[in-house]
Amino acid sequence: MSEGLVSGREQRILEIIETTRSKRPRFKDSQVTMSHGAGGKATQTLIEGLFAPAFASESLDQMGDAGVVEIEGLRLALTTDSFVVKPIRFPGGSIGDLAVNGTVNDLAVAGARPAALSLSLILEEGLDAEELRAEVRAIAAAAEVAGVEVITGDTKVVERGHADKMYICTTGVGQIDPRARLSTAAIEPGDKIIVSGSIGAHGTAIMLARGEFELDADIESDTCSLWPAADALLEAGGAGLRCMRDATRGGVATVLNELARASQVTMVVREADVPVDAAVMGASELLGIDPMYVANEGKLVAFVAPGQADGALAALRSVPGCEEAAEIGEVKTEPPGMVLVETAFGGRRVMDLLAGDPLPRIC
Amino acid sequence: MSEGLVSGREQRILEIIETTRSKRPRFKDSQVTMSHGAGGKATQTLIEGLFAPAFASESLDQMGDAGVVEIEGLRLALTTDSFVVKPIRFPGGSIGDLAVNGTVNDLAVAGARPAALSLSLILEEGLDAEELRAEVRAIAAAAEVAGVEVITGDTKVVERGHADKMYICTTGVGQIDPRARLSTAAIEPGDKIIVSGSIGAHGTAIMLARGEFELDADIESDTCSLWPAADALLEAGGAGLRCMRDATRGGVATVLNELARASQVTMVVREADVPVDAAVMGASELLGIDPMYVANEGKLVAFVAPGQADGALAALRSVPGCEEAAEIGEVKTEPPGMVLVETAFGGRRVMDLLAGDPLPRIC
């Protein structure tokens, strides 16, 4: 380990992880479990082991947030998400906000200005009409703020008990910005890792809204459109902007792990530099959860070449809602495919993909 | 009624229906019911009374199967559908086939060659992995036959009992064919009504597959891609091809009603000319259901100017699977917004939109 970051014992652990990771994962489970939907290892196995080989799509292989299709020379990004969040309304937002912002944000981090959305609803028989109206209003309002139109839709109804009030699937299409030179595999050693604001609020807000914990804290979801942030980074980062991801299911830790693997680099994160609100930090500690793994619905992670990093960060901080954007680490060479955290106390640890499912149905 | 098709008593009924229809429907229900998802009157009220005003989209107002967005001068169609069919496998197909063909067909009848699909899965915890694999294979196979690639996706898992094995949302994007001059409101008196083959097989197959009826018949779903049929009609129909629709939920009757309203014309259907397989007809009679209201997943209805109708029909019949295509009626002037059926016995009746839900969850 050329950078001397890890001890002998750590190195042996890393070698085992590395060997396991170099194989293409195979989907060998006999049943679907909640963890297949959690965005961690099981989800990755499902995608890489079952979907990507079956559909043999270059776009899917890229494991990006959006697929790319070229029509008559126009490069379009297409992205889809189903939302099954429980409860459907929570402090700071609702399933309707998420459905718009989640899809808009997948386009934004692919470097695509959102052009149009489709909206497909699966409603539970017996759903209160007022709840439906409230979500329709939330969708319309979020779409207006994001500057995108819902141009087509579908509605299905399933019997009472066969869904939880509503599931929403939104799909977005957008033109890939000519300034974008983004690629999952473009990240290089020396690149700076930037987050667009304080992390962990969305997942924590959902957990508290479920009332499963004897904990009361004033935490709101961060759900919002990331296009203004992406736009600022595209402008300021230029060709130095390597890659962007929104840190939803599995949080910042999962994004870093996926990209470390894709680009075969090491991500080194300085824990003390990661912005986390005091209330989120407090709740996380009480719940025993690392906010790095907690979902966000309005935060992106960007990788920027060292020469453009300061300018990109300054541009990002000028975007409303991104005032707390921060550089949280750097890309290194060894060991490839790994995320390491330098703790506030001077220690180092591996921040691996989660195997299990700490927070089901947060989006 | 200038065409003398209806009696005095019928005319009074028609006037009442007409008055009701001239008002924009309002969504006044207090709860969502199964009928809101059935494609009939309740679905229409939900779309016209709640979604269209909220999203204020010209595309949504068109009530077409796809929305249209123009990017850099390129006209794109976008369409989305959630599939909640029960059971997920049935004679002639499965939910995976439907998810691909249903979305491909919405593009096709919008005159758009399918370019790419997104795939969003909501899986039930405990789903057998073999069932998932089978649907992934079905999706991949249907996409290959339809000549379209799945380029992006999403997977969510909900707890046991909160979905039925799987719900699938597919969204498709395609370029609107330069030959297409299609519009919901373009239909004119004198146009011929063409269907691409025998109707009612899909919905009947699903009903029988559920085993709720003591009836055994060899009926398979007609699920298939309609792009070859649409392509042939675009080529042969030219500017005389006014409009196409795939006759899914609510069947041919619902398509005719929607378009009669949109174009403010009368559709006159000759019942004896409507192709229905003997087995489907037999099952329909026993179940007391009119096959005109039964869902298809591989049949379109086309409206063609009289001068191009014969050529369009001949071209359509040369497409594999469309050998039974037929001209089933004609567009007239009075009473506007109405569908009339000339029965085999020389009678006439109004074929209205269904208020209720004869066949929930057939797609």
Side-chain angles (χ1 to χ4, degrees):
Chain A
M1 302 297 146
S2 59
E3 291 163 47
L5 266 170
V6 287
S7 70
R9 190 182 64 84
E10 281 174 320
Q11 179 163 353
R12 282 190 298 279
I13 296 170
L14 293 181
E15 280 167 2
I16 293 166
I17 296 177
E18 212 172 322
T19 309
T20 314
R21 288 187 163 189
S22 62
K23 295 174 189 161
R24 178 164 201 148
R26 287 176 57 197
F27 175 61
K28 288 180 293 193
D29 304 285
S30 64
Q31 286 195 333
V32 171
T33 64
M34 292 305 290
S35 57
H36 288 113
K41 275 184 184 167
T43 304
Q44 195 183 49
T45 302
L46 194 60
I47 296 172
E48 296 185 21
L50 180 60
F51 300 147
F55 302 127
S57 153
E58 274 179 43
S59 251
L60 273 181
D61 276 343
Q62 279 270 318
M63 295 278 295
D65 290 310
V68 178
V69 59
E70 195 167 317
I71 303 179
E72 302 268 327
L74 192 70
R75 293 185 71 225
L76 298 170
L78 183 72
T79 186
T80 191
D81 269 300
S82 282
F83 294 85
V84 298
V85 65
K86 199 167 59 170
I88 64 169
R89 296 193 83 83
F90 42 82
S94 71
I95 191 171
D97 299 308
L98 287 192
V100 172
N101 291 330
T103 293
V104 160
N105 292 350
D106 281 343
L107 289 176
V109 296
R113 183 186 294 270
L117 293 185
S118 69
L119 172 69
S120 190
L121 301 169
I122 298 176
L123 306 178
E124 183 186 8
E125 180 187 20
L127 171 68
D128 189 278
E130 270 314 309
E131 291 194 89
L132 177 59
R133 280 198 192 88
E135 292 317 309
V136 167
R137 281 193 298 267
I139 291 164
E144 194 177 342
V145 169
V148 66
E149 222 181 317
V150 176
I151 65 163
T152 189
D154 181 50
T155 309
K156 294 291 187 323
V157 181
V158 295
E159 299 85 352
R160 215 176 281 266
H162 295 247
D164 291 322
K165 294 188 176 178
M166 67 179 77
Y167 301 147
I168 303 182
C169 179
T170 40
T171 305
V173 65
Q175 182 186 3
I176 295 185
D177 196 287
R179 295 168 296 179
R181 298 280 178 280
L182 308 171
S183 158
T184 300
I187 297 164
E188 288 179 18
D191 289 351
K192 305 297 184 186
I193 307 169
I194 291 172
V195 296
S196 65
S198 61
I199 66 167
H202 175 73
T204 311
I206 296 291
M207 273 193 294
L208 297 183
R210 285 187 192 152
E212 292 165 9
F213 305 101
E214 291 290 327
L215 191 61
D216 198 20
D218 193 19
I219 298 172
E220 292 201 340
S221 168
D222 61 347
T223 178
C224 72
S225 161
L226 282 170
W227 172 250
D231 190 28
L233 284 169
L234 285 165
E235 191 62 29
L241 180 65
R242 315 288 196 193
C243 183
M244 297 187 280
R245 281 289 177 96
D246 59 338
T248 56
R249 274 185 295 183
V252 172
T254 301
V255 164
L256 294 176
N257 267 283
E258 284 180 11
L259 294 175
R261 287 190 64 189
S263 291
Q264 283 297 297
V265 293
T266 312
M267 308 287 183
V268 180
V269 175
R270 298 180 303 269
E271 197 169 39
D273 291 342
V274 178
V276 186
D277 283 345
V280 171
M281 184 62 91
S284 299
E285 281 175 4
L286 285 170
L287 300 172
I289 289 169
D290 183 345
M292 293 288 280
Y293 288 97
V294 176
N296 312 277
E297 289 292 335
K299 294 297 174 312
L300 61 75
V301 184
F303 298 81
V304 190
Q308 283 76 43
D310 288 348
L313 182 58
L316 190 56
R317 283 183 172 158
S318 72
V319 174
C322 298
E323 297 81 1
E324 293 182 88
E327 188 195 305
I328 63 165
E330 194 176 329
V331 179
K332 306 265 186 182
T333 340
E334 294 283 333
M338 212 64 68
V339 181
L340 301 175
V341 177
E342 296 181 357
T343 68
F345 311 105
R348 292 178 300 266
R349 58 183 162 82
V350 175
M351 189 164 72
D352 201 5
L353 272 182
L354 285 190
D357 185 3
L359 305 165
R361 299 184 58 183
I362 44 75
C363 62
Chain B
M1 303 299 147
S2 58
E3 291 164 46
L5 266 171
V6 286
S7 70
R9 190 183 63 86
E10 281 174 321
Q11 180 163 349
R12 281 190 298 279
I13 296 170
L14 293 181
E15 280 166 1
I16 293 165
I17 296 177
E18 213 171 324
T19 311
T20 315
R21 287 188 164 189
S22 62
K23 295 175 190 160
R24 178 164 201 148
R26 286 177 57 196
F27 175 61
K28 288 180 293 193
D29 304 285
S30 64
Q31 285 196 333
V32 171
T33 64
M34 292 306 289
S35 58
H36 289 113
K41 275 184 184 166
T43 305
Q44 196 182 49
T45 302
L46 194 60
I47 296 172
E48 296 186 22
L50 181 60
F51 299 148
F55 302 128
S57 154
E58 274 179 43
S59 251
L60 273 181
D61 276 343
Q62 279 269 318
M63 295 279 296
D65 290 310
V68 177
V69 59
E70 195 166 317
I71 304 178
E72 302 267 328
L74 193 69
R75 292 185 71 226
L76 298 170
L78 184 72
T79 186
T80 191
D81 270 301
S82 282
F83 294 86
V84 298
V85 64
K86 198 166 63 170
I88 63 169
R89 297 193 83 81
F90 42 80
S94 70
I95 192 171
D97 299 309
L98 288 192
V100 171
N101 291 330
T103 293
V104 160
N105 292 351
D106 281 344
L107 290 176
V109 296
R113 182 186 294 270
L117 293 185
S118 69
L119 172 69
S120 190
L121 301 169
I122 298 176
L123 306 177
E124 183 186 9
E125 180 188 21
L127 171 68
D128 189 277
E130 270 314 309
E131 292 195 88
L132 177 58
R133 280 199 192 88
E135 292 317 309
V136 167
R137 281 193 298 267
I139 291 164
E144 194 176 342
V145 170
V148 65
E149 222 181 315
V150 176
I151 66 163
T152 189
D154 181 49
T155 309
K156 295 291 188 322
V157 181
V158 295
E159 299 85 351
R160 212 176 283 265
H162 295 246
D164 291 323
K165 293 188 176 179
M166 67 179 77
Y167 300 147
I168 303 183
C169 179
T170 40
T171 305
V173 65
Q175 182 185 2
I176 294 185
D177 195 286
R179 295 168 297 179
R181 298 281 178 279
L182 308 171
S183 158
T184 300
I187 297 165
E188 289 180 18
D191 289 351
K192 306 297 185 186
I193 307 170
I194 291 172
V195 295
S196 66
S198 62
I199 67 167
H202 175 74
T204 311
I206 296 289
M207 272 192 294
L208 298 182
R210 286 187 191 151
E212 291 165 10
F213 306 102
E214 291 288 329
L215 191 60
D216 198 19
D218 193 19
I219 298 171
E220 292 201 339
S221 168
D222 62 346
T223 177
C224 71
S225 162
L226 282 170
W227 173 250
D231 191 27
L233 285 170
L234 286 166
E235 191 61 31
L241 180 66
R242 316 287 196 193
C243 182
M244 298 186 281
R245 280 290 178 95
D246 60 338
T248 56
R249 274 185 295 183
V252 172
T254 301
V255 164
L256 294 176
N257 267 283
E258 283 180 11
L259 294 176
R261 287 189 64 191
S263 291
Q264 282 299 297
V265 294
T266 312
M267 308 287 183
V268 180
V269 175
R270 300 180 301 270
E271 197 169 40
D273 291 342
V274 178
V276 186
D277 282 345
V280 171
M281 185 61 92
S284 298
E285 281 175 4
L286 285 170
L287 300 173
I289 289 169
D290 183 346
M292 292 289 280
Y293 289 97
V294 175
N296 312 277
E297 289 292 335
K299 294 297 175 311
L300 60 76
V301 184
F303 298 81
V304 189
Q308 284 76 44
D310 288 348
L313 182 58
L316 190 56
R317 282 183 173 159
S318 73
V319 174
C322 298
E323 296 82 0
E324 294 180 87
E327 189 195 303
I328 63 165
E330 193 177 329
V331 179
K332 306 265 186 181
T333 342
E334 293 283 333
M338 212 65 69
V339 182
L340 301 174
V341 177
E342 297 180 356
T343 69
F345 312 105
R348 291 178 302 265
R349 57 184 162 82
V350 175
M351 188 165 71
D352 200 6
L353 272 182
L354 285 189
D357 185 2
L359 305 165
R361 298 185 57 182
I362 44 74
C363 61

PDB file of all heavy atoms in Angstrom, chain B residues 107-128:
ATOM      1  N   LEU B 107     -45.801   4.238 -27.726  1.00  0.00           N
ATOM      2  CA  LEU B 107     -44.957   5.038 -28.619  1.00  0.00           C
ATOM      3  C   LEU B 107     -45.382   4.836 -30.069  1.00  0.00           C
ATOM      4  O   LEU B 107     -45.534   5.794 -30.832  1.00  0.00           O
ATOM      5  CB  LEU B 107     -43.478   4.644 -28.465  1.00  0.00           C
ATOM      6  CG  LEU B 107     -42.789   5.032 -27.162  1.00  0.00           C
ATOM      7  CD1 LEU B 107     -41.368   4.491 -27.138  1.00  0.00           C
ATOM      8  CD2 LEU B 107     -42.766   6.555 -26.990  1.00  0.00           C
ATOM      9  N   ALA B 108     -45.581   3.569 -30.453  1.00  0.00           N
ATOM     10  CA  ALA B 108     -45.895   3.239 -31.849  1.00  0.00           C
ATOM     11  C   ALA B 108     -47.139   3.982 -32.325  1.00  0.00           C
ATOM     12  O   ALA B 108     -47.145   4.572 -33.407  1.00  0.00           O
ATOM     13  CB  ALA B 108     -46.068   1.732 -32.005  1.00  0.00           C
ATOM     14  N   VAL B 109     -48.207   3.952 -31.505  1.00  0.00           N
ATOM     15  CA  VAL B 109     -49.443   4.600 -31.944  1.00  0.00           C
ATOM     16  C   VAL B 109     -49.349   6.131 -31.881  1.00  0.00           C
ATOM     17  O   VAL B 109     -50.182   6.822 -32.458  1.00  0.00           O
ATOM     18  CB  VAL B 109     -50.688   4.095 -31.166  1.00  0.00           C
ATOM     19  CG1 VAL B 109     -50.913   2.611 -31.438  1.00  0.00           C
ATOM     20  CG2 VAL B 109     -50.582   4.392 -29.678  1.00  0.00           C
ATOM     21  N   ALA B 110     -48.315   6.634 -31.183  1.00  0.00           N
ATOM     22  CA  ALA B 110     -48.044   8.073 -31.245  1.00  0.00           C
ATOM     23  C   ALA B 110     -47.187   8.392 -32.472  1.00  0.00           C
ATOM     24  O   ALA B 110     -46.773   9.539 -32.666  1.00  0.00           O
ATOM     25  CB  ALA B 110     -47.335   8.530 -29.969  1.00  0.00           C
ATOM     26  N   GLY B 111     -46.910   7.373 -33.288  1.00  0.00           N
ATOM     27  CA  GLY B 111     -46.097   7.577 -34.486  1.00  0.00           C
ATOM     28  C   GLY B 111     -44.618   7.697 -34.190  1.00  0.00           C
ATOM     29  O   GLY B 111     -43.859   8.278 -34.964  1.00  0.00           O
ATOM     30  N   ALA B 112     -44.196   7.136 -33.052  1.00  0.00           N
ATOM     31  CA  ALA B 112     -42.793   7.257 -32.652  1.00  0.00           C
ATOM     32  C   ALA B 112     -42.112   5.892 -32.652  1.00  0.00           C
ATOM     33  O   ALA B 112     -42.614   4.946 -32.047  1.00  0.00           O
ATOM     34  CB  ALA B 112     -42.689   7.887 -31.265  1.00  0.00           C
ATOM     35  N   ARG B 113     -40.987   5.809 -33.330  1.00  0.00           N
ATOM     36  CA  ARG B 113     -40.204   4.575 -33.329  1.00  0.00           C
ATOM     37  C   ARG B 113     -39.534   4.458 -31.958  1.00  0.00           C
ATOM     38  O   ARG B 113     -38.807   5.360 -31.544  1.00  0.00           O
ATOM     39  CB  ARG B 113     -39.146   4.631 -34.432  1.00  0.00           C
ATOM     40  CG  ARG B 113     -38.296   3.379 -34.568  1.00  0.00           C
ATOM     41  CD  ARG B 113     -37.187   3.599 -35.584  1.00  0.00           C
ATOM     42  NE  ARG B 113     -37.702   3.791 -36.943  1.00  0.00           N
ATOM     43  CZ  ARG B 113     -37.909   2.789 -37.809  1.00  0.00           C
ATOM     44  NH1 ARG B 113     -37.612   1.558 -37.470  1.00  0.00           N
ATOM     45  NH2 ARG B 113     -38.376   3.049 -39.006  1.00  0.00           N
ATOM     46  N   PRO B 114     -39.773   3.353 -31.242  1.00  0.00           N
ATOM     47  CA  PRO B 114     -39.200   3.219 -29.900  1.00  0.00           C
ATOM     48  C   PRO B 114     -37.665   3.271 -29.940  1.00  0.00           C
ATOM     49  O   PRO B 114     -37.050   2.571 -30.740  1.00  0.00           O
ATOM     50  CB  PRO B 114     -39.684   1.832 -29.455  1.00  0.00           C
ATOM     51  CG  PRO B 114     -40.893   1.546 -30.305  1.00  0.00           C
ATOM     52  CD  PRO B 114     -40.622   2.215 -31.614  1.00  0.00           C
ATOM     53  N   ALA B 115     -37.064   4.115 -29.097  1.00  0.00           N
ATOM     54  CA  ALA B 115     -35.609   4.255 -29.077  1.00  0.00           C
ATOM     55  C   ALA B 115     -34.987   3.672 -27.816  1.00  0.00           C
ATOM     56  O   ALA B 115     -33.927   3.061 -27.875  1.00  0.00           O
ATOM     57  CB  ALA B 115     -35.224   5.722 -29.196  1.00  0.00           C
ATOM     58  N   ALA B 116     -35.619   3.837 -26.677  1.00  0.00           N
ATOM     59  CA  ALA B 116     -35.046   3.339 -25.428  1.00  0.00           C
ATOM     60  C   ALA B 116     -36.132   3.199 -24.371  1.00  0.00           C
ATOM     61  O   ALA B 116     -37.127   3.925 -24.395  1.00  0.00           O
ATOM     62  CB  ALA B 116     -33.959   4.290 -24.921  1.00  0.00           C
ATOM     63  N   LEU B 117     -35.903   2.269 -23.477  1.00  0.00           N
ATOM     64  CA  LEU B 117     -36.837   2.040 -22.364  1.00  0.00           C
ATOM     65  C   LEU B 117     -36.120   2.200 -21.035  1.00  0.00           C
ATOM     66  O   LEU B 117     -34.937   1.886 -20.906  1.00  0.00           O
ATOM     67  CB  LEU B 117     -37.378   0.605 -22.393  1.00  0.00           C
ATOM     68  CG  LEU B 117     -38.293   0.145 -23.514  1.00  0.00           C
ATOM     69  CD1 LEU B 117     -38.769  -1.269 -23.217  1.00  0.00           C
ATOM     70  CD2 LEU B 117     -39.477   1.089 -23.669  1.00  0.00           C
ATOM     71  N   SER B 118     -36.878   2.656 -20.034  1.00  0.00           N
ATOM     72  CA  SER B 118     -36.420   2.538 -18.654  1.00  0.00           C
ATOM     73  C   SER B 118     -37.317   1.517 -17.965  1.00  0.00           C
ATOM     74  O   SER B 118     -38.457   1.306 -18.370  1.00  0.00           O
ATOM     75  CB  SER B 118     -36.488   3.881 -17.936  1.00  0.00           C
ATOM     76  OG  SER B 118     -37.835   4.269 -17.744  1.00  0.00           O
ATOM     77  N   LEU B 119     -36.768   0.909 -16.923  1.00  0.00           N
ATOM     78  CA  LEU B 119     -37.447  -0.199 -16.248  1.00  0.00           C
ATOM     79  C   LEU B 119     -37.355   0.009 -14.751  1.00  0.00           C
ATOM     80  O   LEU B 119     -36.268   0.047 -14.191  1.00  0.00           O
ATOM     81  CB  LEU B 119     -36.738  -1.506 -16.626  1.00  0.00           C
ATOM     82  CG  LEU B 119     -37.149  -2.775 -15.886  1.00  0.00           C
ATOM     83  CD1 LEU B 119     -38.566  -3.177 -16.281  1.00  0.00           C
ATOM     84  CD2 LEU B 119     -36.173  -3.898 -16.202  1.00  0.00           C
ATOM     85  N   SER B 120     -38.491   0.151 -14.092  1.00  0.00           N
ATOM     86  CA  SER B 120     -38.490   0.351 -12.651  1.00  0.00           C
ATOM     87  C   SER B 120     -39.319  -0.749 -12.000  1.00  0.00           C
ATOM     88  O   SER B 120     -40.480  -0.952 -12.343  1.00  0.00           O
ATOM     89  CB  SER B 120     -39.067   1.733 -12.339  1.00  0.00           C
ATOM     90  OG  SER B 120     -38.877   2.036 -10.993  1.00  0.00           O
ATOM     91  N   LEU B 121     -38.690  -1.473 -11.087  1.00  0.00           N
ATOM     92  CA  LEU B 121     -39.335  -2.627 -10.464  1.00  0.00           C
ATOM     93  C   LEU B 121     -39.677  -2.331  -9.015  1.00  0.00           C
ATOM     94  O   LEU B 121     -38.858  -1.789  -8.277  1.00  0.00           O
ATOM     95  CB  LEU B 121     -38.397  -3.831 -10.491  1.00  0.00           C
ATOM     96  CG  LEU B 121     -37.901  -4.314 -11.860  1.00  0.00           C
ATOM     97  CD1 LEU B 121     -36.771  -5.326 -11.686  1.00  0.00           C
ATOM     98  CD2 LEU B 121     -39.045  -4.928 -12.642  1.00  0.00           C
ATOM     99  N   ILE B 122     -40.901  -2.676  -8.622  1.00  0.00           N
ATOM    100  CA  ILE B 122     -41.255  -2.704  -7.204  1.00  0.00           C
ATOM    101  C   ILE B 122     -41.475  -4.171  -6.865  1.00  0.00           C
ATOM    102  O   ILE B 122     -42.421  -4.794  -7.352  1.00  0.00           O
ATOM    103  CB  ILE B 122     -42.513  -1.861  -6.917  1.00  0.00           C
ATOM    104  CG1 ILE B 122     -42.245  -0.383  -7.268  1.00  0.00           C
ATOM    105  CG2 ILE B 122     -42.922  -1.993  -5.443  1.00  0.00           C
ATOM    106  CD1 ILE B 122     -43.460   0.516  -7.104  1.00  0.00           C
ATOM    107  N   LEU B 123     -40.555  -4.731  -6.091  1.00  0.00           N
ATOM    108  CA  LEU B 123     -40.584  -6.160  -5.802  1.00  0.00           C
ATOM    109  C   LEU B 123     -41.123  -6.400  -4.399  1.00  0.00           C
ATOM    110  O   LEU B 123     -40.868  -5.616  -3.484  1.00  0.00           O
ATOM    111  CB  LEU B 123     -39.178  -6.755  -5.916  1.00  0.00           C
ATOM    112  CG  LEU B 123     -38.442  -6.505  -7.236  1.00  0.00           C
ATOM    113  CD1 LEU B 123     -37.041  -7.099  -7.174  1.00  0.00           C
ATOM    114  CD2 LEU B 123     -39.221  -7.076  -8.412  1.00  0.00           C
ATOM    115  N   GLU B 124     -41.841  -7.511  -4.246  1.00  0.00           N
ATOM    116  CA  GLU B 124     -42.340  -7.885  -2.925  1.00  0.00           C
ATOM    117  C   GLU B 124     -41.293  -8.745  -2.231  1.00  0.00           C
ATOM    118  O   GLU B 124     -40.767  -9.705  -2.825  1.00  0.00           O
ATOM    119  CB  GLU B 124     -43.649  -8.676  -3.066  1.00  0.00           C
ATOM    120  CG  GLU B 124     -44.283  -9.039  -1.739  1.00  0.00           C
ATOM    121  CD  GLU B 124     -45.508  -9.944  -1.890  1.00  0.00           C
ATOM    122  OE1 GLU B 124     -45.760 -10.423  -3.020  1.00  0.00           O
ATOM    123  OE2 GLU B 124     -46.189 -10.183  -0.876  1.00  0.00           O
ATOM    124  N   GLU B 125     -40.995  -8.369  -1.008  1.00  0.00           N
ATOM    125  CA  GLU B 125     -40.089  -9.176  -0.186  1.00  0.00           C
ATOM    126  C   GLU B 125     -40.553 -10.639  -0.218  1.00  0.00           C
ATOM    127  O   GLU B 125     -41.750 -10.911  -0.093  1.00  0.00           O
ATOM    128  CB  GLU B 125     -40.146  -8.647   1.245  1.00  0.00           C
ATOM    129  CG  GLU B 125     -39.267  -9.367   2.228  1.00  0.00           C
ATOM    130  CD  GLU B 125     -39.514  -8.905   3.674  1.00  0.00           C
ATOM    131  OE1 GLU B 125     -40.590  -8.339   3.966  1.00  0.00           O
ATOM    132  OE2 GLU B 125     -38.626  -9.111   4.492  1.00  0.00           O
ATOM    133  N   GLY B 126     -39.620 -11.553  -0.420  1.00  0.00           N
ATOM    134  CA  GLY B 126     -39.990 -12.967  -0.458  1.00  0.00           C
ATOM    135  C   GLY B 126     -40.264 -13.492  -1.858  1.00  0.00           C
ATOM    136  O   GLY B 126     -40.477 -14.696  -2.036  1.00  0.00           O
ATOM    137  N   LEU B 127     -40.250 -12.604  -2.856  1.00  0.00           N
ATOM    138  CA  LEU B 127     -40.453 -13.053  -4.239  1.00  0.00           C
ATOM    139  C   LEU B 127     -39.417 -14.114  -4.578  1.00  0.00           C
ATOM    140  O   LEU B 127     -38.223 -13.945  -4.318  1.00  0.00           O
ATOM    141  CB  LEU B 127     -40.303 -11.857  -5.198  1.00  0.00           C
ATOM    142  CG  LEU B 127     -40.280 -12.194  -6.697  1.00  0.00           C
ATOM    143  CD1 LEU B 127     -41.638 -12.705  -7.174  1.00  0.00           C
ATOM    144  CD2 LEU B 127     -39.871 -10.971  -7.522  1.00  0.00           C
ATOM    145  N   ASP B 128     -39.875 -15.187  -5.173  1.00  0.00           N
ATOM    146  CA  ASP B 128     -38.968 -16.252  -5.575  1.00  0.00           C
ATOM    147  C   ASP B 128     -38.011 -15.750  -6.658  1.00  0.00           C
ATOM    148  O   ASP B 128     -38.441 -15.130  -7.634  1.00  0.00           O
ATOM    149  CB  ASP B 128     -39.804 -17.421  -6.117  1.00  0.00           C
ATOM    150  CG  ASP B 128     -38.957 -18.650  -6.351  1.00  0.00           C
ATOM    151  OD1 ASP B 128     -38.312 -18.722  -7.422  1.00  0.00           O
ATOM    152  OD2 ASP B 128     -38.928 -19.509  -5.471  1.00  0.00           O
TER     153      ASP B 128
END
